Amino acid sequence: VGDSPTQSSTQPEAMEEENPLFSNLDLFLFTLIAGLIIYWFMSRKKAEPIPEFKKLDQPAPSTQETSFIEKMKKTGRNIVVFYGSQTGTGEEFANRLSKDAQRYGMKGMAADPEEYDMSELSRLAEIGNSLAIFCMATYGEGDPTDNAQDFYDWLQETDGQLNGVNYTVFALGNKTYEHYNAMGAYVDKRLEELGAKRVFDLGMGDDDGNLEEDFVTWREQFWPAMCEHFGVEASGEDSSVRQYELKEHNDINMNKVYTGELGRLKSFETQKPPFDAKNPFLAPVTVNRKLNKAGDRHLMHLEVDITGSKIRYESGDHVAVYPTNDTVIVNRLGQILGVDLDSVISLNNLDEESNKKHPFPCPTTYRTALTHYLDIIHPPRTNVLYELAQYATDPKDQENMRKMASSAPEGKALYQSFVLEDNRNILAILEDLPSLRPPIDHLCELMPRLQARYYSIASSSKVHPNSIHICAVLVEYTTKTGRLTKGVATTWLKNKLVADNGHKSTVPMYIRKSQFRLPFKASNPVIMVGPGTGIAPFMGFIQERGWLKEQGKEVGETVLYCGCRHKEEDYLYQEELEEAKKAGVITKLNVAFSRDQEQKVYVQHLLRTNKEDLWRQIHTDNAHIYICGDARNMARDVQTVFYEIAEELGGMTRTQATDYIKKLMTKGRYSQDVWS
């Protein structure tokens, strides 16, 4: 390999000696190409001023669409609320803040940074008393959400000046993660560096605690500060203004009605690639088996078929699936509110300038909306209770619902106990407050969107190019009020049976790329730590390392730490793992059976036992470490063990050990795929 450049550089010379005509042809081609490049460059240069000229005359359609400044000017708005949102919460908070503005004689708009030209931020100063609010969620390892990626890239690259731009940031994150609120903190710091003026402190929302409470508290302090800053006064009461109006369709052609599609009408009937979040692929379920032999849990392995879809994936990626709500809950909601769920309706935005014409695809039926589009299982947020309070005929119910939406300690405590601790979803609230019977269309307007669920893919595309494997545990528990609560997605997946009567169960899905990747050099050792269903991506890694071995590649040590409660009950993928061990694909298999002995044993205990081996692999052999599973306890405890090993065997202080592991993270040698 070392001398190949020399070989190639001598080849043209040899050719020239044999055939001197070649150089003339060469010269001719060079001149031709150069001429074409100059011509293209000149014509491109000349064409540039034309759009500029046109812009003065009349706005070109594209500038109109991507310019939030022009939109704000045209519609008399002075507050823009941008959101970076992966699961819809950031968007929800942005909508609430833009609605709030009305109370203060201001006019707001919520905006998706993906839809606008963010380099126009500097022009915000052209609008008097203007303000940009950013509700920014952090995703994965401190990353921006998908819709904020371009904005993040722009912030990193720009050196534009944002003088005269007023801003504030509310960050959404989760304390159990390594990079808590990294995206919100970055936006806050970077805007200041670019010359913008922070008019209110960065808000930190923690989803591990009570994100809703963090937001309400921040918001209650934010608006009075804005009033003072802009010299305006609140108009008293929170106004409950409808954002959408109901239109009932009595004689509509049913072919024009949405039945669960997320983007294009009839996209589930005629599937067209490429497949993504707005256009998922309906993948048939080919395998759905229970993984555990006994015990009170249901652990499952599913395989979905992606043949002919042109979908590509890599080990470590996530598969996103769109579940549907339980029909029993949907029917009960219709019954309690006394409505015909099959009525065809549209909810149309009263703000005609808004990019969001409907809260979910319309026209559709209430049944479809409650089944496919709305999250009716999570406990509702305080703004939903506040807006619905007006429909409670019992003054006490009305008072309590409004109290729960305030930042008063008594109200917060009531929301915490009645809604969160008792885990009441909207149906439970309606059942327990008989005086509350809101119109179903207002309820549908207020409910958040049902989101895709992400699962680490448990297969390798090298071995299974046409199928994707999912490993999941059924979520099911009884709340304090005695109600059985079932996880939306896992219950739905469990019921995706492989039928033998010709009818196939399908799962609407797409792929979300991940940074969780095997090392580029197969010879690097890998240390995988994944207890419970955290083993999922490692099944893909193991399959891939086995495939590489078969290709004759030199494959480094492949070490797995996994765990379950009891060896005889829920040892996940036992046969596959033992087979891989026998074949030498897994060089060391360490399984912690936490409850098979008096003292609980977890993966972190096994890591400690093998500390010398681990230190050699990490410090000498360039091993890559992967952690998958629970963020709150396991990932943190495992990281602590790595600190301890670096201290003890690397002779470091705790600070040095922490820095050492952080460096591995920066180099991509310590990766986490965790959830809480």
Side-chain angles (χ1 to χ4, degrees), residues 305-411:
D305 187 2
I306 54 168
T307 307
S309 67
K310 294 194 169 75
I311 288 172
R312 301 273 174 273
Y313 75 95
E314 284 185 62
S315 305
D317 282 342
H318 296 135
V319 57
V321 301
Y322 283 103
T324 55
N325 287 311
D326 187 341
T327 51
V328 174
I329 296 174
V330 172
N331 289 336
R332 180 82 183 107
L333 276 169
Q335 191 188 349
I336 216 165
L337 295 173
V339 287
D340 173 8
L341 290 177
D342 296 308
S343 313
V344 180
I345 57 115
S346 286
L347 286 177
N348 301 325
N349 203 323
L350 290 159
D351 172 7
E352 286 171 9
E353 295 300 326
S354 174
N355 283 11
K356 202 172 177 186
K357 301 298 176 207
H358 316 282
F360 43 78
C362 289
T364 190
T365 63
Y366 287 124
R367 186 183 304 284
T368 300
L370 294 169
T371 307
H372 292 270
Y373 300 138
L374 299 171
D375 181 350
I376 55 176
I377 295 301
H378 274 107
R381 299 198 181 277
T382 58
N383 64 308
V384 175
L385 301 178
Y386 186 91
E387 299 242 358
L388 293 180
Q390 58 183 309
Y391 302 113
T393 51
D394 181 337
K396 190 88 190 100
D397 289 348
Q398 205 171 103
E399 187 196 336
N400 282 336
M401 287 175 77
R402 290 220 167 96
K403 197 185 282 174
M404 283 192 267
S406 76
S407 62
E410 191 191 345

Side-chain angles (χ1 to χ4, degrees), residues 54-68:
K54 241 169 111 179
K55 216 191 237 172
L56 297 172
D57 218 15
Q58 64 180 107
S62 63
T63 53
Q64 206 175 351
E65 283 160 22
T66 61
S67 170
F68 64 90

Side-chain angles (χ1 to χ4, degrees), residues 13-227:
E13 282 178 39
M15 281 175 130
E16 270 177 46
E17 280 169 34
E18 275 175 53
N19 192 350
L21 265 176
F22 191 79
S23 60
N24 294 342
L25 181 63
D26 238 5
L27 209 62
F28 171 70
L29 286 171
F30 264 121
T31 317
L32 187 67
I33 291 164
L36 285 168
I37 289 170
I38 292 164
Y39 173 74
W40 176 78
F41 197 75
M42 293 305 283
S43 62
R44 188 167 152 267
K45 270 274 177 271
K46 254 186 284 179
E48 248 176 13
I50 299 171
E52 287 301 314
F53 177 71
K54 241 169 111 179
K55 216 191 237 172
L56 297 172
D57 218 15
Q58 64 180 107
S62 63
T63 53
Q64 206 175 351
E65 283 160 22
T66 61
S67 170
F68 64 90
I69 297 292
E70 295 309 323
K71 190 169 198 175
M72 287 173 78
K73 286 180 174 177
K74 193 171 136 197
T75 57
R77 294 165 206 258
N78 59 338
I79 292 181
V80 58
V81 194
F82 291 106
Y83 55 86
S85 185
Q86 196 69 32
T87 61
T89 313
E91 182 179 357
E92 214 180 299
F93 286 179
N95 280 322
R96 282 158 74 172
L97 289 166
S98 77
K99 221 169 164 185
D100 283 346
Q102 287 177 313
R103 283 181 62 199
Y104 305 95
M106 305 190 218
K107 212 171 166 197
M109 68 179 249
D112 182 342
E114 202 172 28
E115 293 177 5
Y116 293 102
D117 176 2
M118 294 306 285
S119 65
E120 289 216 325
L121 206 51
S122 56
R123 293 184 57 204
L124 195 61
E126 295 171 16
I127 298 169
N129 269 5
S130 61
L131 168 70
I133 306 173
F134 295 86
C135 290
M136 306 308 289
T138 299
Y139 187 79
E141 298 290 281
D143 304 319
T145 55
D146 292 350
N147 78 313
Q149 184 66 54
D150 293 345
F151 172 48
Y152 175 72
D153 295 343
W154 175 76
L155 279 177
Q156 286 194 306
E157 291 155 16
T158 188
D159 47 11
Q161 285 304 299
L162 299 181
N163 299 6
V165 174
N166 296 314
Y167 79 94
T168 187
V169 179
F170 182 81
L172 297 85
N174 187 313
K175 260 211 179 82
T176 56
Y177 289 79
E178 181 74 26
H179 306 277
Y180 173 53
N181 274 333
M183 182 60 182
Y186 174 74
V187 171
D188 182 60
K189 177 172 118 326
R190 187 70 183 125
L191 291 173
E192 185 179 43
E193 287 170 0
L194 293 169
K197 183 184 179 190
R198 182 190 298 106
V199 292
F200 192 69
D201 291 339
L202 167 69
M204 298 284 262
D206 176 19
D207 203 25
D208 185 45
N210 184 340
L211 184 59
E212 176 69 19
E213 189 177 304
D214 295 337
F215 175 68
V216 168
T217 307
W218 180 84
R219 175 176 163 247
E220 296 253 336
Q221 293 163 350
F222 164 71
W223 283 115
M226 285 311 91
C227 289

Side-chain angles (χ1 to χ4, degrees), residues 572-613:
L572 303 186
Y573 298 111
Q574 181 177 358
E575 291 78 11
E576 292 93 325
L577 294 176
E578 287 173 356
E579 193 56 47
K581 174 82 176 73
K582 212 159 65 187
V585 175
I586 295 178
T587 35
K588 195 146 189 230
L589 177 60
N590 309 277
V591 191
F593 302 108
S594 62
R595 302 180 188 188
D596 273 352
Q597 58 288 307
E598 214 175 307
Q599 288 283 299
K600 285 193 176 156
V601 173
Y602 295 121
V603 283
Q604 54 268 34
H605 300 128
L606 300 187
L607 287 165
R608 246 185 226 112
T609 313
N610 295 329
K611 59 190 177 190
E612 281 86 4
D613 249 4

